[in-house]
Amino acid sequence: KATQHQGIKRRIAAKAIDLIEDHDVIYLDGGSTVLMLAERLDEREGLTVVTNSLMAASRLMGSDHRLILGTIGFTIEDGMTTTDTNEAFTKEQIMKRSNQVILLADSSKLGIPSFARSGDIRAIDILITDRVDPLFRADLEANGIEVLAAGE
């Protein structure tokens, strides 16, 4: 569908960009016409864009993209895990396109796996948590993860 009716989709995107003002907050859904609009968003300044579309997100991300994630569970063996396979897939795809991955997880999630793997441990650059077992911390650091403790 992305290759069908491209001229029409470009005209629709051109009309849509006229409705978006600098500093707007917008949500982008999936779809090839919405992707045409995503490609034009650099015509506006200071936008906040929310999307559930991997394609739209990848078009919007620059080379200095940082990803900040949460998780249901996190182990050395499984990495990040969650209860939702769709969420797991989305996280893995976005992590592949990110320059830096920061994981926010309270200590209750560390060492506890969940149902679906959502990110390899090697993709995580920084973990921010409240506290971490010294042995778990050593394993994380051995895997190249910087651990930052928020304290109590």
Side-chain angles (χ1 to χ4, degrees):
K1 288 184 116 179
T3 60
Q4 295 176 347
H5 312 291
Q6 286 192 350
I8 294 168
K9 292 175 183 183
R10 278 193 196 91
R11 288 194 304 274
I12 291 170
K15 186 61 84 174
I17 196 71
D18 291 341
L19 300 175
I20 299 171
E21 298 178 11
D22 290 347
H23 308 287
D24 273 356
V25 177
I26 62 171
Y27 176 86
L28 294 181
D29 196 9
S32 55
T33 307
V34 174
L35 289 178
M36 294 276 186
L37 173 61
E39 292 173 355
R40 298 197 57 169
L41 291 178
D42 62 351
E43 297 174 25
R44 301 293 178 264
E45 293 184 14
L47 292 178
T48 300
V49 181
V50 178
T51 184
N52 68 343
S53 166
L54 286 175
M55 296 297 292
S58 67
R59 300 260 170 104
L60 296 171
M61 293 189 309
S63 59
D64 293 330
H65 180 76
R66 274 190 225 173
L67 178 61
I68 300 173
L69 296 171
T71 190
I72 300 293
F74 182 62
T75 65
I76 300 298
E77 301 77 22
D78 295 320
M80 293 174 26
T81 55
T82 186
T83 55
D84 183 327
T85 56
N86 291 324
E87 179 183 333
F89 175 79
T90 301
K91 284 183 176 186
E92 285 187 320
Q93 297 306 306
I94 294 294
M95 287 172 75
K96 289 177 185 176
R97 293 168 176 81
S98 298
N99 188 43
Q100 183 180 48
V101 177
I102 302 167
L103 177 61
L104 310 181
D106 68 74
S107 57
S108 71
K109 303 191 178 165
L110 305 181
I112 307 295
S114 187
F115 172 68
R117 188 173 187 199
S118 58
D120 190 281
I121 191 169
R122 293 170 296 192
I124 299 165
D125 299 297
I126 299 171
L127 166 66
I128 303 175
T129 188
D130 55 314
R131 66 182 184 275
V132 61
D133 174 82
L135 293 175
F136 194 75
R137 180 186 200 116
D139 285 343
L140 293 170
E141 291 172 346
N143 279 282
I145 299 173
E146 180 182 356
V147 179
L148 302 176
E152 300 204 21

